[in-house]
Amino acid sequence: MLSFGSLFSSAALLAAAFAPTVLADNPVNPSFRYGSTKVRGVNLGGWLVLEPWITPSLFDNTGNSAIVDEWTFGQFQSRNTALATLQNHWNTWITEQDFIDIANAGLNHVRIPIGYWAFETGPGEPYISGQLPYLQQAVVWARSHGLKVIVDLHGAPGSQNGFDNSGHRISFPGWHSNSTNVARTNAIIKRIASLFINDQDVVSVIAPLNEPAGFDGSDVLSTVRQYWYDSYGNIRFPYGTSQQSNTVVLLHDAFQPLSYWQGYQTPPNWQGVAMDTHIYQMFSQDEVSRSNQQHIQAACNMASSLSSFDLWLIVGEWTPAATDCAKYLNGRGIGARFDGSYTGSTRVGSCNGITGSASSFSSSYKTFLRQYWEAQTITYEKASGWIQWTWKAENADDWSYQAGLKGGWIPQNPTQRQYPNICG
């Protein structure tokens, strides 16, 4: 936790940005009309931060079951092997053609997860760096093809949630309880804001931390709330003066109900703040046990809470998948609740034909995927819009926007509806 003193030491002139009583900041003028034009986008998941379920081959090919995240990917194999594998992956998983295809699909945003280890690593941290030039190249491609970029810090020192997608799968997150971890993270956000200071026409949003584990209690939440204040200063005031950027600050809800954040960093004292909420219906026994119609209805039922929130609100992760069947979705070597292979779960049904290759999907299942996709996008556009997780996956077509376009359950134009009245 940063002390009060250290918060202000870096730039006393930013004090006004943190005090609720000050005169209003200048209204932000971002390069995308948030709030009036809907965000429609995809995440470039599994590219600059590895996730075992998105690219299981990278993990299976190591022949070592202890390699379960990017930390162990660097820890338990030769550095040269790991680096060569990663470089090949960075060069091939996402290319300019993907940006062309995303733009041609009528989308306007890409959210790009990146880990802190792309910027710096500390003693004993086995991460391999080298991702940053690819993020910079992505911004060039996005500019060429008319897309906006959300730079998303997806992993922080110590891990903010213990998930494999934070880089380090651990039983309890260590980011929030160590002030050095938080200070390192603040320095990285300053660096990101500085790196893209002249790219605000493309990098319209910086998300200072993905999914901090607010469910782990008040200690996490108090650190997160202070870190969100720090991030506001770091992102909106990148020039070292009182001059402000036009970059939007996208805060994650830390798994709290939106009501928890009501009135937090709202205008006029804060300008250009948006809230990110992630909506999945498969990470509990109750959710995975829902019928198809119950999944659709649950999505539709979110409309009022999403539309009434007091900041720009983006559903920054969601999926047309309705089960946790995708291989390694719950972690490498961990099974699925849906088929009962997850410890302590109750079997709902077989995973055959609902994940993996779309060639195994029945026409009725593809109809459901289309209905669920439409129910969600209709609902999330009651807020400021949506960014689907994820653009592509090796072997989980139910999650893949690219596969959905090819398979017909995602329309070639995201405003096209076969079920315009699915939510009534």
Side-chain angles (χ1 to χ4, degrees):
M1 188 67 193
L2 286 182
S3 69
F4 187 83
S6 66
L7 166 63
F8 289 96
S9 62
S10 59
L13 57 87
L14 299 190
F18 304 103
T21 54
V22 297
L23 293 171
D25 279 339
N26 296 322
V28 70
N29 185 29
S31 60
F32 185 87
R33 295 183 62 199
Y34 296 99
S36 54
T37 306
K38 297 304 178 188
V39 172
R40 300 182 178 113
V42 285
N43 286 275
L44 302 185
W47 182 29
L48 305 182
V49 176
L50 295 187
E51 298 199 28
W53 77 265
I54 297 178
T55 56
S57 70
L58 292 185
F59 290 82
D60 292 346
N61 290 347
T62 66
N64 184 345
S65 61
I67 296 178
V68 299
D69 54 22
E70 202 158 332
W71 177 284
T72 50
F73 197 86
Q75 183 178 25
F76 292 138
Q77 57 183 330
S78 92
R79 198 160 184 86
N80 288 344
T81 302
L83 179 60
T85 305
L86 284 169
Q87 285 174 332
N88 181 62
H89 170 70
W90 297 332
N91 280 313
T92 58
W93 183 249
I94 297 292
T95 67
E96 186 171 13
Q97 188 61 48
D98 292 290
F99 282 75
I100 294 168
D101 294 345
I102 289 165
N104 286 343
L107 301 176
N108 51 37
H109 279 70
V110 289
R111 178 172 174 262
I112 306 181
I114 194 161
Y116 81 88
W117 55 93
F119 301 91
E120 58 98 346
T121 55
E125 296 174 347
Y127 289 118
I128 290 170
S129 301
Q131 299 86 348
L132 195 51
Y134 296 91
L135 177 62
Q136 292 170 299
Q137 181 63 64
V139 171
V140 174
W141 290 335
R143 178 178 282 114
S144 296
H145 302 292
L147 295 165
K148 302 302 179 191
V149 171
I150 299 173
V151 175
D152 156 49
L153 188 66
H154 217 72
S159 177
Q160 72 278 17
N161 52 34
F163 302 162
D164 60 10
N165 58 60
S166 74
H168 197 188
R169 186 175 119 186
I170 49 177
S171 58
F172 194 79
W175 172 76
H176 66 280
S177 56
N178 180 318
S179 61
T180 303
N181 287 341
V182 180
R184 289 172 69 189
T185 315
N186 274 315
I188 287 164
I189 296 305
K190 285 182 179 176
R191 177 133 179 242
I192 292 171
S194 176
L195 266 175
F196 299 111
I197 204 163
N198 296 318
D199 299 300
Q200 294 176 43
D201 57 317
V202 180
V203 181
S204 52
V205 178
I206 295 172
L209 191 58
N210 179 66
E211 295 188 345
F215 49 76
D216 280 327
S218 58
D219 287 358
V220 177
L221 285 168
S222 64
T223 300
V224 168
R225 289 173 73 95
Q226 182 59 62
Y227 176 71
W228 288 163
Y229 287 131
D230 297 349
S231 296
Y232 182 87
N234 291 335
I235 294 166
R236 294 299 322 286
F237 293 85
Y239 299 96
T241 68
S242 60
Q243 182 186 349
Q244 293 174 310
S245 72
N246 283 306
T247 310
V248 170
V249 185
L250 183 61
L251 309 177
H252 185 259
D253 64 14
F255 304 100
Q256 301 308 293
L258 289 171
S259 57
Y260 174 88
W261 297 104
Q262 205 81 26
Y264 183 82
Q265 291 200 25
T266 49
N269 298 316
W270 287 269
Q271 301 285 352
V273 180
M275 187 61 67
D276 179 14
T277 191
H278 296 173
I279 299 175
Y280 291 117
Q281 293 189 41
M282 75 280 289
F283 293 116
S284 70
Q285 186 69 43
D286 164 65
E287 290 169 305
V288 93
S289 302
R290 292 173 184 168
S291 68
N292 287 351
Q293 191 50 48
Q294 286 172 324
H295 280 294
I296 289 167
Q297 196 55 52
C300 295
N301 289 348
M302 293 172 191
S304 62
S305 69
L306 294 175
S307 63
S308 61
F309 191 62
D310 57 12
L311 292 172
W312 293 328
L313 176 63
I314 297 168
V315 181
E317 293 187 21
W318 62 280
T319 174
T323 74
D324 64 341
C325 283
K327 179 183 176 181
Y328 299 159
L329 182 67
N330 294 305
R332 186 177 183 205
I334 299 173
R337 295 169 186 83
F338 192 82
D339 68 1
S341 58
Y342 182 98
T343 304
S345 65
T346 304
R347 187 178 194 271
V348 179
S350 168
C351 283
N352 292 338
I354 53 179
T355 192
S357 168
S359 61
S360 70
F361 295 178
S362 67
S363 59
S364 63
Y365 179 52
K366 288 197 268 195
T367 296
F368 161 68
L369 290 173
R370 176 66 178 246
Q371 290 173 330
Y372 192 31
W373 189 92
E374 290 198 18
Q376 291 186 87
T377 54
I378 287 167
T379 300
Y380 305 157
E381 289 188 19
K382 302 280 196 258
S384 298
W386 48 268
I387 305 168
Q388 184 178 316
W389 191 277
T390 186
W391 172 241
K392 59 183 288 198
E394 279 181 351
N395 194 33
D397 284 356
D398 46 332
W399 285 78
S400 163
Y401 202 103
Q402 185 185 59
L405 288 170
K406 188 178 172 189
W409 65 87
I410 294 177
Q412 300 300 314
N413 177 329
T415 62
Q416 182 195 342
R417 307 274 180 227
Q418 285 179 3
Y419 305 98
N421 302 313
I422 192 142
C423 286

